[in-house]
Each structure stands twice: as C-alpha cells, then as structure tokens.
Amino acid sequence: MAKNIPIKWKIMIFSFGIVFFSITIAGIIAAGKLYDQTEERLGERGLITGRTVANLPEVQQSLSESEGWEKINPIVNRVRTINDSDYIVVLNSNRIRYSHPVEEKLGTISAGKDEGAAFAEHSYVSKAKGEIGVSIRSFVPIMNAEHEQIGVVIVGNMMPELGTVLSSIKSELALIAILALGFGSGGSWLLARRIKEETFHLEPHEISRLLVERTATFEAMNEGVIAIDLDGNTMIFNEKAKRILEVTEDVTGLKVSSVIRSKQLLSVLMTDHRLQNEEMTVGKRVLLISKVPIRVNGEKVGAVAVFQDRTEVAAMAEELTGVKNFVEALRVQNHESLNRLHTIAGLIQLDEKEKALDYVFEVSQQDEDLSNFLSKRINDFRISGLILSKVRRGKELGVEVMIDRNSIYKKNPALVDSHDLVLIIGNLIENAFYSFNRVSQEAPLVHLSLISDDHFLYLSVEDNGCGIKEELQEKVLERGFSTKGEDGNGLGLYLIKRTVERANGKMSLVSRVGEGTNIELIIPMSTEGSEHDEY
C-alpha cells in the first residue's frame, strides 16, 4: 500500500514527522528546564522568607524564653501567609520547635537529619519527598546581636506537579506549537516540491530502475566512459575505461586528476569545448575520443567523455579496408585483363601472331617484376597489395605510378600501424590522381618512395599535376577544407597530419601551380624522447 503513495506525499509525511518529533523533544527539554527553574525559584523564595523571619527582633528575643513559641508562632504564621509558604519551622539552638504548622509539636525536639549544616551557620536549600509530595526546604541560621547563632529557620514550599507548571504557560505553548507545526508543514511541502522537481518528477522505484539500467548500459558498452562534475570529481568510470587506462579500484567520487596521469587526457576532460572523434596518444595506446558537456536546465554541471582504444577500431578498419582494396584490385585487374585480351585478340585477327606472343611475354614480365619487387621489399601484404592496386588503377586512368627502386619497408614505427600507412598512402596517391583532373599533362606521373630503417620511416608521394595555390597550402591540412568541392570531405590530409603529429613525425608539402605537388613524411621508429604523457 505504501508503494502507491506518491514520493511528494512521502517526503511531506516524513518531514512533518521530523518536525513533530523535534517539537516533542524540544517540549520535553523545555518542560524539564521550566520544572528546574520552578524548583530554583521556590528555593530562593524560601531563603528570602527565612532571612525575614531570622531578622525579626521578636523571634530573636523569644528564642531564649522557656515558652517563647507562644510569641513566635503567631508572628511566623503571619509571615508564612504573606509570603505564601507552605510551612515555616523555627528551632532554637537545642532543636526545640518554637514554630510549627502543627501546634501539638510546639516545644518538642526536632529529629531532622538535614538541618545539621544550618546549625553551623550555613544557608542552603534541600529537596525532600514526603507523603504529600516533594517539598523544597530552605534553611537559614538565626544570629543574635553579638553574631552568635541561636537557632534555625526552616521554610518549606511544596513543589507543584509538572502539569500544574505547564498549565501556567499553556497559552504560550499552544502558540509555539501552532507556529512550529504551521511553518513545519509549509517547509515540508516546499521541500517535497523542490525534491520532486530535482528528481524530474520520478518516483523512487523509477529512479532505482533508471540507476540500475544506466549502470548496466555503461558497463555493457564497448567504449570507455568517464563523467566528471564541475569540481573534477569522478561520477562515472566504467569497466572498459578502467581496462583501457589500467585502473583497478573503484574511483567513483575521487578527483579525476588523482586517477588519470595523462595531462593531455585531463586537459580534454577539464576544458569546456566539445570534441568529436579526436585521436590522442595516452601512453602506448591511441585513443579515439569524443567529449560533450553535461547540462541540466541549460546549466553546465559536468562533462562526459567516450573513448575507444584505436587498435580495436583499426582492426575493424583494416578488415574493411582490406576488403575494399581487394575488391578494387579485382575490379582493376578484371578491367586490365579485358583490355589485354582485346589487344591479343586484335593482333591475332591481324595475323600478327609473333607480336601477340611478344605482348603476352612483355605484360607478364612487367607484372612479375612488380610483384617480385613488392614481395621482397615491402614486408606487409596490406601495403604491397595497396601499392599494386594503385599501380593498376593508374594504368586505368592513364597515369604512370612509379615505385622508387630503393624503397624498402620492414616494420611499422612504434606509434603507427599498417592501417595508418594504408590510409596515408591511399589518400596521397588518390589526391595525386585527382590533380590530373584539372590539368592537361602529356605524361602524368606519380612517384612513390617508401623507405624505413632502424631510426626513421620516410614516405614521399610526388606528382606533376595541377599543384596547389600557395595561399591554400596551409588550409588543405585543416579539417573540413577541400579543393575537390562536393567530391571531397576535407578529412584526408587532416587525418594524415594528425597521424604524423601523434607519432612525433614531420610532414612537409611543397607545391607549385601547374608543376605538381610533393608531400614528404618522416616518422621516428622509436618512442624515445616522446613528449606524450604516460598513464
């Protein structure tokens, strides 16, 4: 039944309960304090009354007489009535009663045990419980003119019941209760409404379900997810992020700066701008990262970053790229084979059998020479397959692709993989092919050089195409800028530049309009001296 009560009413009931409980506790404390103050007030009043009686000359003179109570008792009764005391007892130095509310006890000896200190010239207050209730007794010594003690005055006041004490301030208590409950109810309603707004009008079971679903979703993602608040505290750090950044413990609630040691990644998380699929080197990993700020009602409350280990992306991309290159190579080879068959068939029809045979030997030798060269000098089937397909693609376009015979490739640089080189070489050669679309060149030529040793990888792609205007040579390296119009997306050279920079390499572009373009890359093989952060 309680589950069906809306959260707003639950909060109001709970808040009202807290207010009511607080008022009850405060009331009990106040009642106890008031009771103590009443006791103290009665004791002080008794002491004043006792001093009044002790200083009366008639009392002092009559204490030395044998039946002095006949004079003292009437006087004390009048004082008792005036001061509204319950009883006043006067004892001489021999503890004989000279005043008592019960006349039969006049002249008798008191056997009380708590007035001993009063006969030692002390004034004090004590509390005693009797048959009719609790009495507050005030003891005052009686001194004569020579400052000698001649007796004791005992003034008793009955302590009223707690209900009687509270009834004396019942109007004040009622006003306080009404005001407290009124403000408490109003505050409870405002608090409930505020909490309801902050929780987007969701009920507790809905919030619980969303939290469970959110946690399960983040943990099931194949990307690392990190979310922080404005103070840099970690709100989300899923398992994938822990594996990528090699974090083992639970870091929720900790400062992100104490968890991530990469200054570059920390800078991305803490800065205010958005990122979309940016590459970043963290240690020996290359991450593909996107980041957006988190806003609630238009106000920034934090940021969330989603990133993936680029080696996993590269594996998929290599597979797709390999398939694409394979299909392209088959298409070009099929087209080239048809052209060769047509040539051979034409020569045979012209009865030029020897020329047809020479042609077969010539093209076979060319193919064999290129294949042998690539298999011996290029130690990666992806790159050699790409180069072979581009050579045949060039023939299809009427462009000669010349491979530097000094080219040799044995291994990847530390921060560059085969996918990177496929992307770089493929984009540069395709750009070179495109440069001939806007210029008439009698002998279109693309020259490729790929050399790697123990220290550096050198790559050069040069063409004699249309070239790039000097004022555009910097812009073509920017993201989104393209000289191809609607045919381009402005990402090719930008991605190449980012890859080279990530690997601590250098990229140079030399171009002249009408003469061609030469792009050279130099990438170190080792990570020694790298400025990238370790994590």
Side-chain angles (χ1 to χ4, degrees):
M1 184 69 179
K3 292 183 178 180
N4 297 326
I5 301 176
I7 181 62
K8 184 175 181 179
W9 288 105
K10 288 182 180 179
I11 295 172
M12 288 183 63
I13 294 171
F14 180 72
S15 302
F16 185 81
I18 293 176
V19 172
F20 183 78
F21 179 76
S22 301
I23 293 174
T24 302
I25 297 300
I28 293 173
I29 295 174
K33 186 69 174 177
L34 181 62
Y35 196 76
D36 292 341
Q37 289 176 350
T38 302
E39 180 181 326
E40 184 179 351
R41 179 173 54 81
L42 290 176
E44 290 293 331
R45 194 176 74 182
L47 289 174
I48 294 172
T49 303
R51 293 188 186 102
T52 301
V53 173
N55 290 324
L56 290 174
E58 295 87 349
V59 173
Q60 294 179 3
Q61 293 173 3
S62 301
L63 275 178
S64 59
E65 298 176 3
S66 59
E67 295 183 358
W69 53 80
E70 292 181 356
K71 295 179 181 180
I72 292 175
N73 198 48
I75 295 173
V76 170
N77 282 334
R78 287 196 296 271
V79 174
R80 179 182 62 80
T81 304
I82 293 172
N83 289 276
D84 194 24
S85 299
D86 289 298
Y87 63 86
I88 299 176
V89 177
V90 178
L91 307 176
N92 69 358
S93 57
N94 295 321
R95 300 197 179 196
I96 297 174
R97 297 183 179 96
Y98 274 66
S99 174
H100 197 279
V102 180
E103 292 186 2
E104 287 78 6
K105 290 187 177 184
L106 293 174
T108 61
I109 296 175
S110 173
K113 297 179 180 180
D114 56 350
E115 64 259 19
F119 283 98
E121 301 183 10
H122 289 291
S123 298
Y124 58 93
V125 178
S126 70
K127 183 167 62 174
K129 186 175 183 180
E131 294 180 358
I132 61 174
V134 178
S135 64
I136 306 300
R137 301 193 298 175
S138 303
F139 296 82
V140 178
I142 302 174
M143 313 296 291
N144 62 13
E146 288 75 23
H147 297 286
E148 296 176 351
Q149 185 172 359
I150 58 176
V152 170
V153 178
I154 304 172
V155 180
N157 291 289
M158 300 305 296
M159 189 67 186
E161 297 291 336
L162 180 60
T164 305
V165 175
L166 295 178
S167 65
S168 63
I169 56 169
K170 59 183 179 181
S171 58
E172 290 86 350
L173 290 176
L175 179 61
I176 292 173
I178 291 172
L179 291 176
L181 292 175
F183 282 108
S185 301
S188 299
W189 182 81
L190 292 175
L191 175 63
R193 188 178 70 172
R194 178 64 177 174
I195 293 177
K196 191 69 174 177
E197 291 175 354
E198 291 290 334
T199 57
F200 299 98
H201 301 278
L202 295 174
E203 295 299 320
H205 65 279
E206 295 175 321
I207 297 174
S208 176
R209 188 185 72 245
L210 285 176
L211 179 61
V212 172
E213 291 174 352
R214 188 204 71 162
T215 303
T217 300
F218 284 136
E219 297 304 332
M221 292 178 66
N222 197 38
E223 292 82 17
V225 180
I226 300 176
I228 61 172
D229 60 18
L230 290 178
D231 296 325
N233 298 315
T234 304
M235 297 186 295
I236 298 172
F237 207 106
N238 72 344
E239 288 299 323
K240 184 67 175 182
K242 291 180 181 179
R243 287 197 296 270
I244 292 175
L245 300 179
E246 298 181 359
V247 176
T248 56
E249 68 276 7
D250 183 13
V251 297
T252 304
L254 299 180
K255 289 285 186 182
V256 70
S257 56
S258 67
V259 179
I260 299 175
R261 295 190 292 274
S262 169
K263 294 180 180 179
Q264 192 177 13
L265 183 55
L266 278 175
S267 175
V268 167
L269 288 170
M270 300 303 291
T271 52
D272 199 31
H273 61 275
R274 289 172 172 262
L275 286 180
Q276 184 67 34
N277 293 330
E278 291 287 337
E279 289 187 0
M280 180 182 304
T281 301
V282 180
K284 295 182 179 180
R285 295 177 182 268
V286 180
L287 304 182
L288 196 63
I289 183 168
S290 298
K291 193 208 78 172
V292 294
I294 304 173
R295 299 186 182 276
V296 177
N297 297 326
E299 182 179 354
K300 182 181 176 183
V301 297
V304 60
V306 180
F307 56 91
Q308 189 173 27
D309 189 347
R310 190 179 173 279
T311 54
E312 298 178 1
V313 180
M316 293 185 292
E318 281 186 15
E319 183 178 350
L320 294 175
T321 303
V323 172
K324 183 178 178 180
N325 288 334
F326 181 68
V327 172
E328 177 67 13
L330 287 178
R331 188 194 65 78
V332 173
Q333 185 175 3
N334 178 61
H335 185 268
E336 187 176 3
S337 297
L338 288 176
N339 289 337
R340 290 175 178 178
L341 287 175
H342 291 158
T343 302
I344 295 171
L347 290 173
I348 292 175
Q349 288 177 357
L350 295 173
D351 200 20
E352 299 287 348
K353 297 181 179 63
E354 293 183 0
K355 290 183 179 180
L357 188 60
D358 292 339
Y359 177 74
V360 171
F361 288 145
E362 179 184 354
V363 295
S364 298
Q365 188 65 40
Q366 290 177 355
D367 290 346
E368 185 177 355
D369 289 344
L370 180 59
S371 298
N372 289 337
F373 173 79
L374 292 177
S375 62
K376 292 179 181 180
R377 308 285 291 184
I378 306 299
N379 191 27
D380 191 298
F381 72 91
R382 303 174 187 84
I383 298 175
S384 59
L386 173 70
I387 295 175
L388 182 60
S389 68
K390 294 304 179 184
V391 170
R392 290 174 174 169
R393 169 70 172 160
K395 289 182 179 180
E396 183 182 21
L397 298 174
V399 178
E400 181 182 359
V401 179
M402 182 180 295
I403 312 298
D404 184 356
R405 290 297 165 174
N406 293 319
S407 295
I408 184 169
Y409 178 82
K410 296 298 182 183
K411 63 178 181 178
N412 297 325
L415 297 176
V416 174
D417 54 28
S418 299
H419 170 70
D420 292 320
L421 289 174
V422 168
L423 181 147
I424 292 172
I425 297 172
N427 270 286
L428 292 179
I429 294 179
E430 284 298 324
N431 286 345
F433 287 161
Y434 185 82
S435 68
F436 296 109
N437 291 348
R438 292 180 291 175
V439 66
S440 177
Q441 181 61 258
E442 293 182 0
L445 175 65
V446 175
H447 186 271
L448 171 66
S449 179
L450 177 62
I451 301 173
S452 67
D453 55 24
D454 294 335
H455 303 289
F456 295 97
L457 179 142
Y458 172 81
L459 171 64
S460 171
V461 176
E462 184 177 3
D463 66 71
N464 59 351
C466 63
I468 304 172
K469 295 180 180 179
E470 185 176 355
E471 61 269 20
L472 299 180
Q473 291 180 15
E474 291 292 334
K475 292 185 177 182
V476 294
L477 301 178
E478 297 177 0
R479 180 170 185 162
F481 183 86
S482 175
T483 59
K484 300 177 183 178
E486 295 181 356
D487 295 331
N489 52 28
L491 291 177
L493 289 177
Y494 169 77
L495 292 177
I496 293 172
K497 178 174 177 289
R498 285 296 305 273
T499 303
V500 174
E501 290 176 347
R502 189 191 72 227
N504 300 314
K506 295 181 180 180
M507 175 178 179
S508 65
L509 185 152
V510 178
S511 182
R512 293 182 181 177
V513 176
E515 296 183 14
T517 301
N518 180 28
I519 295 179
E520 293 183 348
L521 310 179
I522 300 178
I523 301 174
M525 300 297 291
S526 170
T527 59
E528 294 182 3
S530 172
E531 297 180 357
H532 292 287
D533 297 321
E534 296 293 332
Y535 62 89

